[in-house]
Amino acid sequence: MSSTEPSQWAEKASIYLETLDLPRYTRPRLTRYLISILAFLSLIVFYTSHQPSLLISEPEFPSISIYAANNTNHLPHIPPKIWQIYLDYTPYAIMPYTSYIQSFITHSPSHTYTLLDAHGALSIISKLSTSKTHAHILPLFYAMSRRVLRADFLRYLLLAIEGGVYSDMDTEMLRPLHDWVPDEYKSRTKLIVGLEADQSPPVGGTTYEVQFCQWTLAGAAGHPALWGMVERILNEVQKRPFESPMKDVEFSDEEVLDITGPAGWTEVVYEYLSKAAGEEIGWRNLTGMRSPRLFGDILVLPIDAFASGVPHSGASGPGMGEAFVKHQFQGSWRGGDH
Ligand SMILES: *[C@@H]1O[C@H](CO)[C@@H](O)[C@H](O)[C@H]1NC(C)=O
Ligand SMILES: *[C@@H]1O[C@H](CO)[C@@H](O)[C@H](O)[C@H]1NC(C)=O
């Protein structure tokens, strides 16, 4: 490197320009021209030599949910995700439900909200298509001819894969998810189930004295009771004779209730409650309960939690008592093409 100062260079350059005998007015112009070229060249050199450091590489994130960490408004095991399903979605079709949808969103800051249509549902199931153990679910799903069967099945599968809260379109959230679980159970709760009925003999339209509802469910991804229910449904569907996956398999309303509906779900829940308790748990253990009970990692909520306002089972008025979700009973799935 020369020790020559830039000012000396400028001096030399101007002396050189003097010797060139150019018309006076061209000298400043020529100087500006040279400076522009130099600036342009140095910019190119700067950008080409610095380019790699401008590229942003992908950062590594912790595997736990960023929303759930240290957030007292979230449950430690149940991810902050809300799911609803409307397989025949159109903007017009969901209009009657917009205030209910809003109730879930407004009570659930930093939760994701997803309304699944048929394509979205398929993309969830397709996650399993490369799995060695679960790829068979896709053709069996297609074999479920009735939409209600598919919608029922999807809620268990969805929570088994993703975790979070599932709730029917005709339900309204009254209290946020973290309020559903008493503080002393928060660190242990991985599945939340509520009652649909609690009466002996069973309420009309139900099968068991104490029957669990499946219009609202919450759970950690991978909970064995959710997979147990998925497996149970698949076994039933598989029993039906069908040659090709696209051929319809007929199920009656009663069968739907038994297989994918509340009766089937109730049997699975009792099975897992019994496993957790290490003894047979039946309806007599749960009847008349007024506060939540934890069996292993399964939290059972009393009738008012999801079924306030029903005219039986000792339930409080609509939205009264410890009501967390209000069911509007607008389900019109029976018969027809559903
Ligand atoms: C979050 O919780 C963990 C363990 O419960 C604790 O070690 C950590 O300091 C907490 N972080 C913040 C930001 O509070
Ligand atoms: C369930 O009920 C039976 C009697 O019906 C009783 O012996 C048992 O202790 C109860 N178990 C629990 C966990 O409440």
Side-chain angles (χ1 to χ4, degrees):
M1 279 290 278
S2 159
S3 61
T4 321
E5 292 294 318
S7 56
Q8 287 175 294
W9 274 110
E11 208 172 293
K12 280 187 182 163
S14 65
I15 291 167
Y16 175 69
L17 284 172
E18 293 285 349
T19 62
L20 279 182
D21 194 28
L22 294 162
R24 282 201 83 77
Y25 64 89
T26 61
R27 281 177 202 157
R29 196 183 284 176
L30 189 64
T31 313
R32 275 205 299 271
Y33 183 64
L34 284 171
I35 287 174
S36 314
I37 289 185
L38 271 175
F40 181 68
L41 285 176
S42 51
L43 266 179
I44 289 180
V45 169
F46 176 82
Y47 276 114
T48 49
S49 63
H50 285 74
Q51 196 90 43
S53 69
L54 289 176
L55 289 175
I56 293 172
S57 59
E58 201 172 305
E60 276 182 28
F61 293 118
S63 59
I64 54 149
S65 163
I66 187 168
Y67 294 132
N70 298 58
N71 188 335
T72 52
N73 287 341
H74 288 106
L75 298 172
H77 300 295
I78 301 181
K81 302 176 185 177
I82 294 173
W83 301 96
Q84 298 202 283
I85 298 174
Y86 203 111
L87 293 179
D88 289 341
Y89 168 89
T90 65
Y92 180 75
I94 63 151
M95 268 168 62
Y97 304 104
T98 47
S99 70
Y100 302 151
I101 292 173
Q102 202 170 27
S103 74
F104 280 91
I105 294 170
T106 53
H107 283 99
S108 312
S110 297
H111 284 58
T112 60
Y113 173 87
T114 309
L115 173 59
L116 282 180
D117 62 1
H119 291 291
L122 209 54
S123 66
I124 298 275
I125 303 180
S126 300
K127 271 185 155 184
L128 301 171
S129 62
T130 53
S131 156
K132 281 201 173 71
T133 47
H134 292 78
H136 62 294
I137 289 179
L138 207 54
L140 286 171
F141 178 71
Y142 280 121
M144 299 177 197
S145 57
R146 297 186 61 179
R147 186 175 49 194
V148 58
L149 212 63
R150 296 196 296 275
D152 267 354
F153 173 70
L154 275 170
R155 70 194 63 194
Y156 310 112
L157 183 66
L158 186 57
L159 291 193
I161 296 175
E162 297 282 343
V165 180
Y166 167 82
S167 207
D168 277 357
M169 295 301 292
D170 62 345
T171 60
E172 184 184 352
M173 190 179 230
L174 303 177
R175 299 263 297 275
L177 175 64
H178 64 92
D179 277 2
W180 299 6
V181 185
D183 283 344
E184 64 268 32
Y185 297 151
K186 281 194 164 97
S187 64
R188 284 181 285 160
T189 300
K190 292 187 178 167
L191 184 70
I192 303 174
V193 293
L195 304 190
E196 160 167 41
D198 175 8
Q199 199 159 292
S200 180
V203 174
T206 71
T207 308
Y208 296 98
E209 285 84 352
V210 173
Q211 183 156 305
F212 298 101
C213 77
Q214 39 86 280
W215 62 72
T216 303
L217 301 167
H223 194 281
L226 294 166
W227 279 119
M229 185 63 183
V230 166
E231 199 176 294
R232 178 196 156 100
I233 297 170
L234 292 178
N235 284 337
E236 285 300 322
V237 174
Q238 223 158 7
K239 278 187 204 157
R240 300 281 152 143
F242 60 91
E243 284 95 48
S244 85
M246 300 307 287
K247 192 170 176 188
D248 276 6
V249 180
E250 285 307 322
F251 292 95
S252 70
D253 289 352
E254 286 65 34
E255 285 173 321
V256 169
L257 285 170
D258 279 350
I259 297 168
T260 63
W265 175 236
T266 296
E267 287 167 21
V268 168
V269 172
Y270 277 130
E271 181 191 330
Y272 282 85
L273 291 179
S274 303
K275 265 185 199 165
E279 59 177 315
E280 192 69 17
I281 299 295
W283 71 273
R284 288 177 200 279
N285 292 93
L286 302 177
T287 188
M289 58 183 279
R290 286 287 158 228
S291 52
R293 282 183 69 184
L294 189 71
F295 296 84
D297 60 7
I298 306 177
L299 187 72
V300 181
L301 300 176
I303 189 83
D304 278 349
F306 299 157
S308 65
V310 294
H312 54 74
S313 309
S316 305
M320 310 294 285
E322 284 284 281
F324 303 146
V325 163
K326 196 159 113 202
H327 190 206
Q328 309 290 347
F329 293 100
Q330 289 179 358
S332 59
W333 55 269
R334 279 156 206 269
D337 62 343
H338 288 252

